[in-house]
Protein backbone atom coordinates (compact mmCIF):
# COMPACT_ATOMS: atom_id res chain seq x y z
CA UNK A 1 0.00 0.00 0.00
CA UNK A 2 1.97 2.94 -1.35
CA UNK A 3 -0.68 5.61 -2.00
CA UNK A 4 -3.60 7.08 -0.10
CA UNK A 5 -6.40 9.64 -0.04
CA UNK A 6 -7.56 11.29 3.19
CA UNK A 7 -11.27 11.97 3.63
CA UNK A 8 -12.20 14.31 6.49
CA UNK A 9 -15.77 14.57 7.77
CA UNK A 10 -16.86 18.08 8.74
CA UNK A 11 -19.70 18.08 11.25
CA UNK A 12 -21.96 20.99 12.06
CA UNK A 13 -25.14 21.64 14.04
CA UNK A 14 -27.25 19.82 11.42
CA UNK A 15 -25.02 16.82 10.76
CA UNK A 16 -23.17 14.96 13.54
CA UNK A 17 -20.31 12.54 12.91
CA UNK A 18 -22.49 9.42 13.19
CA UNK A 19 -24.79 10.71 10.44
CA UNK A 20 -21.81 11.74 8.29
CA UNK A 21 -20.07 8.38 8.67
CA UNK A 22 -23.28 6.70 7.54
CA UNK A 23 -23.62 8.87 4.42
CA UNK A 24 -19.94 9.06 3.45
CA UNK A 25 -19.21 5.37 4.09
CA UNK A 26 -22.22 4.36 2.01
CA UNK A 27 -20.77 6.35 -0.91
CA UNK A 28 -17.28 4.94 -0.40
CA UNK A 29 -18.78 1.44 -0.39
CA UNK A 30 -20.60 2.16 -3.67
CA UNK A 31 -17.36 3.45 -5.21
CA UNK A 32 -15.54 0.27 -4.14
CA UNK A 33 -18.34 -1.91 -5.53
CA UNK A 34 -18.17 -0.02 -8.83
CA UNK A 35 -14.41 -0.67 -8.98
CA UNK A 36 -14.33 -4.24 -7.65
CA UNK A 37 -12.28 -7.04 -9.15
CA UNK A 38 -13.70 -10.06 -10.94
CA UNK A 39 -13.50 -11.93 -7.61
CA UNK A 40 -15.85 -9.36 -5.99
CA UNK A 41 -13.03 -7.97 -3.87
CA UNK A 42 -11.36 -4.59 -3.71
CA UNK A 43 -7.74 -3.60 -4.20
CA UNK A 44 -8.40 -0.55 -2.05
CA UNK A 45 -8.18 -0.75 1.72
CA UNK A 46 -9.59 1.51 4.41
CA UNK A 47 -7.94 2.97 7.48
CA UNK A 48 -9.53 4.95 10.29
CA UNK A 49 -6.66 7.08 11.67
CA UNK A 50 -8.64 8.41 14.66
CA UNK A 51 -10.11 5.01 15.62
CA UNK A 52 -10.93 4.99 19.32
CA UNK A 53 -11.17 8.78 19.56
CA UNK A 54 -12.87 10.14 22.65
CA UNK A 55 -14.69 12.70 20.48
CA UNK A 56 -16.39 9.97 18.40
CA UNK A 57 -15.29 6.29 18.32
CA UNK A 58 -14.38 6.45 14.63
CA UNK A 59 -13.06 10.00 14.70
CA UNK A 60 -13.56 12.33 11.76
CA UNK A 61 -11.20 10.89 9.17
CA UNK A 62 -10.91 7.88 6.89
CA UNK A 63 -8.08 6.96 4.59
CA UNK A 64 -8.24 4.92 1.38
CA UNK A 65 -5.07 3.01 0.41
CA UNK A 66 -3.89 1.28 -2.72
CA UNK A 67 -0.63 -0.14 -3.95
CA UNK A 68 -1.26 1.59 -7.27
CA UNK A 69 -1.75 5.35 -7.69
CA UNK A 70 -3.88 4.80 -10.79
CA UNK A 71 -6.44 2.72 -8.85
CA UNK A 72 -7.12 5.63 -6.50
CA UNK A 73 -7.39 8.07 -9.40
CA UNK A 74 -9.75 5.68 -11.21
CA UNK A 75 -11.90 5.44 -8.07
CA UNK A 76 -12.72 9.14 -8.58
CA UNK A 77 -13.88 9.59 -4.99
CA UNK A 78 -14.90 13.19 -5.72
CA UNK A 79 -17.66 11.95 -8.01
CA UNK A 80 -19.04 9.72 -5.26
CA UNK A 81 -18.88 12.41 -2.57
CA UNK A 82 -20.16 15.22 -4.78
CA UNK A 83 -23.52 15.61 -3.01
CA UNK A 84 -21.76 15.82 0.37
CA UNK A 85 -19.31 18.64 -0.43
CA UNK A 86 -20.48 20.77 2.52
CA UNK A 87 -19.57 17.97 4.92
CA UNK A 88 -16.45 16.38 3.51
CA UNK A 89 -12.96 17.31 2.38
CA UNK A 90 -10.69 14.91 0.53
CA UNK A 91 -7.10 15.19 -0.59
CA UNK A 92 -5.50 14.32 -3.87
CA UNK A 93 -3.62 11.03 -4.13
CA UNK A 94 -0.49 11.12 -1.96
CA UNK A 95 2.48 8.81 -1.42
CA UNK A 96 2.63 6.95 1.89
CA UNK A 97 5.47 8.33 4.06
CA UNK A 98 8.59 6.19 3.96
CA UNK A 99 8.89 6.31 7.75
CA UNK A 100 5.87 4.05 8.41
CA UNK A 101 6.84 1.25 10.79
CA UNK A 102 3.47 -0.05 11.91
CA UNK A 103 0.50 -1.48 10.09
CA UNK A 104 -3.15 -2.07 10.90
CA UNK A 105 -5.83 -4.53 9.96
CA UNK A 106 -9.35 -3.12 9.91
CA UNK A 107 -11.81 -5.98 9.97
CA UNK A 108 -15.53 -6.44 10.04
CA UNK A 109 -16.86 -8.24 13.10
CA UNK A 110 -20.24 -9.92 12.72
CA UNK A 111 -22.63 -10.69 15.52
CA UNK A 112 -25.62 -12.99 15.22
CA UNK A 113 -28.10 -10.16 15.68
CA UNK A 114 -31.32 -9.96 17.62
CA UNK A 115 -33.83 -12.78 18.20
CA UNK A 116 -36.32 -11.47 15.63
CA UNK A 117 -33.70 -11.36 12.88
CA UNK A 118 -32.46 -14.83 13.75
CA UNK A 119 -36.04 -16.13 13.81
CA UNK A 120 -36.77 -14.67 10.35
CA UNK A 121 -33.67 -16.38 8.98
CA UNK A 122 -34.53 -19.69 10.67
CA UNK A 123 -38.15 -19.59 9.45
CA UNK A 124 -36.98 -19.04 5.89
CA UNK A 125 -34.25 -21.68 6.08
CA UNK A 126 -36.28 -24.40 7.84
CA UNK A 127 -39.75 -23.66 6.45
CA UNK A 128 -41.13 -22.89 9.91
CA UNK A 129 -43.57 -20.16 10.82
CA UNK A 130 -42.06 -17.02 12.31
CA UNK A 131 -43.70 -17.82 15.64
CA UNK A 132 -42.16 -21.32 15.72
CA UNK A 133 -38.75 -19.94 14.88
CA UNK A 134 -39.08 -17.16 17.48
CA UNK A 135 -39.92 -19.75 20.15
CA UNK A 136 -36.61 -21.45 19.34
CA UNK A 137 -34.77 -18.23 20.34
CA UNK A 138 -36.60 -17.61 23.63
CA UNK A 139 -34.16 -16.24 26.16
CA UNK A 140 -31.58 -15.32 23.53
CA UNK A 141 -29.51 -12.28 24.46
CA UNK A 142 -27.72 -10.27 21.82
CA UNK A 143 -23.95 -10.09 22.47
CA UNK A 144 -22.75 -6.79 23.95
CA UNK A 145 -19.76 -5.01 22.45
CA UNK A 146 -18.02 -1.70 22.66
CA UNK A 147 -16.69 -1.91 19.10
CA UNK A 148 -17.44 1.17 16.99
CA UNK A 149 -19.94 0.69 14.19
CA UNK A 150 -21.53 2.45 11.25
CA UNK A 151 -25.25 2.20 10.52
CA UNK A 152 -25.69 1.20 6.89
CA UNK A 153 -28.60 0.30 4.67
CA UNK A 154 -28.24 -2.77 2.52
CA UNK A 155 -28.87 -1.95 -1.10
CA UNK A 156 -29.84 -5.56 -1.81
CA UNK A 157 -32.71 -5.90 0.67
CA UNK A 158 -33.19 -2.41 2.13
CA UNK A 159 -32.51 -3.57 5.70
CA UNK A 160 -30.46 -1.46 8.10
CA UNK A 161 -27.50 -3.12 9.80
CA UNK A 162 -24.54 -2.19 11.98
CA UNK A 163 -21.11 -2.62 10.43
CA UNK A 164 -18.85 -3.28 13.44
CA UNK A 165 -15.18 -2.48 12.83
CA UNK A 166 -12.20 -3.74 14.80
CA UNK A 167 -8.65 -2.40 14.48
CA UNK A 168 -5.59 -4.57 15.14
CA UNK A 169 -2.07 -3.14 15.03
CA UNK A 170 0.67 -5.36 13.61
CA UNK A 171 4.41 -4.91 13.04
CA UNK A 172 4.64 -6.15 9.46
CA UNK A 173 2.77 -5.59 6.24
CA UNK A 174 0.63 -8.38 4.83
CA UNK A 175 -0.67 -8.35 1.28
CA UNK A 176 -4.19 -9.44 0.49
CA UNK A 177 -7.53 -8.31 -0.77
CA UNK A 178 -10.22 -6.22 0.83
CA UNK A 179 -13.99 -6.43 0.84
CA UNK A 180 -16.03 -3.81 -0.93
CA UNK A 181 -16.21 -2.11 2.49
CA UNK A 182 -12.42 -1.64 2.34
CA UNK A 183 -11.99 -4.10 5.23
CA UNK A 184 -10.02 -7.34 5.46
CA UNK A 185 -9.50 -10.16 7.92
CA UNK A 186 -5.72 -10.10 7.42
CA UNK A 187 -4.50 -7.61 4.76
CA UNK A 188 -2.83 -4.58 6.30
CA UNK A 189 -2.75 -0.85 5.61
CA UNK A 190 0.00 1.52 6.78
CA UNK A 191 -0.70 3.03 10.21
CA UNK A 192 0.24 6.69 10.57
Amino acid sequence: MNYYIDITLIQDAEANLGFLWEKVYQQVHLALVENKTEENTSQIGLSIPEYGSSMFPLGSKMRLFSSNEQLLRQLDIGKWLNRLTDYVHFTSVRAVPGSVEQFAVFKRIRFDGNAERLARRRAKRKGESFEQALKHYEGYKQPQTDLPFINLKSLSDGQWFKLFIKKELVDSSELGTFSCYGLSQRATVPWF
Side-chain angles (χ1 to χ4, degrees):
M1 296 296 180
N2 303 315
Y3 298 93
Y4 73 99
I5 296 173
D6 271 343
I7 300 172
T8 303
L9 311 179
I10 305 164
Q11 68 178 341
D12 66 14
E14 296 176 9
N16 65 34
L17 283 175
F19 175 80
L20 292 175
W21 268 97
E22 176 186 314
K23 298 302 180 194
V24 172
Y25 201 82
Q26 188 78 47
Q27 292 304 113
V28 168
H29 169 59
L30 291 173
L32 296 177
V33 168
E34 184 74 21
N35 290 277
K36 67 185 174 186
T37 66
E38 290 180 12
E39 295 82 29
N40 288 329
T41 62
S42 177
Q43 296 175 330
I44 297 173
L46 175 91
S47 173
I48 304 170
E50 298 172 356
Y51 185 97
S53 168
S54 60
M55 175 181 67
F56 183 77
L58 295 171
S60 63
K61 186 177 285 195
M62 70 175 75
R63 221 171 247 155
L64 300 177
F65 285 95
S66 178
S67 58
N68 181 322
E69 182 178 4
Q70 184 57 31
L71 286 173
L72 288 175
R73 291 191 191 287
Q74 181 181 318
L75 186 66
D76 193 10
I77 200 65
K79 174 182 91 172
W80 296 96
L81 299 176
N82 187 39
R83 64 186 184 93
L84 299 167
T85 55
D86 290 345
Y87 303 103
V88 68
H89 173 266
F90 56 91
T91 64
S92 58
V93 177
R94 298 177 175 175
V96 169
S99 60
V100 172
E101 294 181 5
Q102 202 166 30
F103 301 87
V105 177
F106 286 88
K107 56 177 71 177
R108 179 179 185 179
I109 302 296
R110 293 180 188 241
F111 296 100
D112 286 336
N114 62 34
E116 288 81 16
R117 179 173 177 259
L118 292 170
R120 279 194 303 275
R121 287 178 53 204
R122 179 183 171 93
K124 190 176 193 180
R125 196 175 60 248
K126 301 223 179 221
E128 299 174 343
S129 72
F130 176 72
E131 290 74 22
Q132 289 171 314
L134 194 56
K135 189 163 184 67
H136 178 79
Y137 290 104
E138 273 182 356
Y140 173 81
K141 291 187 178 185
Q142 187 170 353
Q144 298 296 311
T145 182
D146 59 355
L147 287 176
F149 64 89
I150 303 166
N151 284 312
L152 292 176
K153 188 174 186 177
S154 171
L155 299 177
S156 60
D157 65 9
Q159 297 289 319
W160 285 92
F161 67 97
K162 292 179 180 177
L163 180 75
F164 289 94
I165 300 174
K166 181 178 181 180
K167 176 189 86 174
E168 291 179 1
L169 291 177
V170 295
D171 293 325
S172 60
S173 174
E174 184 162 337
L175 296 176
T177 58
F178 298 88
S179 71
C180 289
Y181 291 108
L183 306 173
S184 179
Q185 292 301 308
R186 67 177 195 281
T188 61
V189 292
W191 180 248
F192 61 95

